[in-house]
Amino acid sequence: MFAPESFVSKEIEKIKKEVLGKAVIAVSGGIDSTVAAKVASGALGSEVLAIYVDTGLMRLDEEIDVQKTLADLGINHKIVKEEELFLDRLKGVTDPETKRKIIGKTFIDVFEREAKDFGAKYLVQGTIAPDWIESGGGLRDTIKSHHNVGGLPDIVNLKIVEPLRDLYKDEVRKIADYYGIPKMRQPFPGPGLAVRIIGEVTRDRVALLKKATSILEKNVSKFEEVPWQYFVVLLADRSTGVHGDRRVYGSTVAIRCVNSLDGMTANFTPIPLEMLAKISREITNGIPEISRVVYDITDKPPATIEWE
Ligand code: XMP
């Protein structure tokens, strides 16, 4: 049986011996980086800084939730607001891989600057066992090659500390419970909403998607069975709609809800039509720029979970 308390106290002693200087950790709001930050903080106190890079591409008020969690846990942290920089570098870019690369690179630029300012010599990472054990299927590899935080060690010139390296997700969850870390959100891609915006990522389009996402999340979180992942994609194509007696040329969004164990394969969630209809009406009533809502009924494979 895995005992979180003894794991944590041993790990804290180990870090105290190993880490002889300041450390930084990039936190994403996910469970692994939050738990790793808490363990490191137990060992190093204010000598470790948890950095959350606010790309402006996360969900509505996400940075506020992250800030609150870190503050409640007593972790020394900094929220670095860089929405302008990310949007600026993404201007005119529509190719999905290019978007991912720009976001990854910008993230690293910001993080490196912050690590240097803090005088860090060490980098704490929330790596867990499945992140480095060969999975054969390549999901981890695929995710990691895209993932902002996972890409850090090659670039940032700091000594790596990985307190959760030998743990599996269920063990990390046990530590999270032990610390009273609130239940984490559903899986969320590192590049954030940018890969759910087909075409150019602009401030207005991000704002539109944030609103639609928040309407979907509010509804779905009340379902008896909440899907593994549920989100909205803003499509590049526009379509005709009617507002009163006017024809408008509005945006189309797709709702995607899937059930999955690990993201390798997935089935679309058969949400009852009346629930979908309610969500669709809330989206089009609440967001006049959106004039059409469609539901994605494709499994993975053949589709991926994300659209980009
Ligand atoms: P796909 O779209 O490849 O996604 O079927 C499988 C799972 O991985 C998530 N995903 C990502 N996670 N960085 C991440 O951290 C990424 O770039 C990324 N792309 C996809 C996706 O949300 C799903 O849960």
Side-chain angles (χ1 to χ4, degrees):
M1 254 302 263
F2 177 74
E5 197 171 353
S6 76
F7 173 86
V8 164
S9 59
K10 270 190 218 136
E11 205 52 45
I12 287 178
E13 286 317 306
K14 213 162 106 194
I15 296 174
K16 275 185 183 161
K17 279 196 206 111
E18 258 175 38
V19 176
L20 308 165
K22 288 186 169 183
V24 279
I25 174 165
V27 283
S28 64
I31 185 167
D32 301 343
S33 61
T34 309
V35 169
K38 178 66 186 165
V39 174
S41 158
L44 306 171
S46 58
E47 291 292 282
V48 60
L49 180 67
I51 298 170
Y52 177 81
V53 178
D54 181 0
T55 60
L57 302 167
M58 304 310 266
R59 285 162 296 181
L60 202 65
D61 295 338
E62 191 146 349
E63 71 288 353
I64 298 172
D65 293 345
V66 172
Q67 154 105 57
K68 182 171 180 324
T69 303
L70 294 172
D72 288 351
L73 290 167
I75 297 170
N76 182 30
H77 65 276
K78 181 170 181 185
I79 310 285
V80 190
K81 289 197 176 293
E82 289 292 358
E83 182 184 9
E84 292 290 334
L85 179 65
F86 280 85
L87 284 177
D88 195 51
R89 291 197 185 172
L90 285 167
K91 216 172 260 166
V93 178
T94 55
D95 175 65
E97 274 308 298
T98 314
K99 273 186 201 170
R100 279 191 147 91
K101 285 203 183 101
I102 291 173
I103 293 167
K105 164 85 170 65
T106 308
F107 183 95
I108 288 160
D109 290 348
V110 171
F111 188 79
E112 271 188 322
R113 182 195 72 205
E114 293 296 325
K116 203 164 158 222
D117 282 358
F118 186 62
K121 296 271 179 293
Y122 294 82
L123 173 67
V124 181
Q125 292 258 90
T127 322
I128 65 172
D131 293 337
W132 57 272
I133 290 173
E134 279 288 320
S135 70
L139 167 85
R140 295 286 165 188
D141 297 346
T142 315
I143 287 185
K144 284 296 160 182
S145 69
H146 295 316
H147 197 294
N148 303 329
V149 178
L152 281 172
D154 303 338
I155 296 145
V156 181
N157 191 19
L158 301 168
K159 285 185 208 118
I160 310 287
V161 185
E162 295 177 317
L164 315 179
R165 200 182 154 73
D166 297 323
L167 302 186
Y168 284 85
K169 203 80 183 183
D170 57 315
E171 294 165 329
V172 179
R173 284 208 190 93
K174 283 186 186 145
I175 305 180
D177 287 346
Y178 164 71
Y179 279 135
I181 294 174
K183 286 271 170 293
M184 292 294 168
R185 51 181 211 200
Q186 48 166 327
F188 190 68
L193 298 179
V195 294
R196 294 176 180 169
I197 294 177
I198 314 298
E200 193 183 3
V201 180
T202 63
R203 185 185 302 280
D204 289 349
R205 300 190 81 209
V206 173
L208 214 64
L209 184 58
K210 278 190 182 180
K211 274 195 229 160
T213 303
S214 129
I215 293 173
L216 177 79
E217 289 189 347
K218 193 169 60 46
N219 276 278
V220 172
S221 62
K222 287 188 220 135
F223 286 4
E224 230 160 82
E225 274 179 51
V226 176
W228 189 74
Q229 201 169 10
Y230 44 100
F231 55 89
V232 181
V233 182
L234 178 59
L235 306 192
D237 290 335
R238 301 213 287 166
S239 70
T240 306
V242 256
H243 272 185
D245 53 6
R246 248 177 347 110
R247 282 169 80 81
V248 292
Y249 199 47
S251 294
T252 304
V253 294
I255 296 176
R256 179 102 166 115
C257 301
V258 296
N259 294 331
S260 175
L261 284 177
D262 53 9
M264 296 266 268
T265 59
N267 292 108
F268 78 85
T269 316
I271 294 184
L273 274 182
E274 66 274 17
M275 291 183 179
L276 281 174
K278 176 173 179 279
I279 296 169
S280 166
R281 282 189 201 108
E282 268 184 49
I283 289 178
T284 49
N285 288 342
I287 314 167
E289 297 92 331
I290 297 177
S291 56
R292 195 174 297 266
V293 179
V294 298
Y295 189 57
D296 182 346
I297 53 166
T298 331
D299 295 332
K300 172 183 180 177
T304 50
I305 295 177
E306 302 289 345
W307 276 44
E308 282 201 337

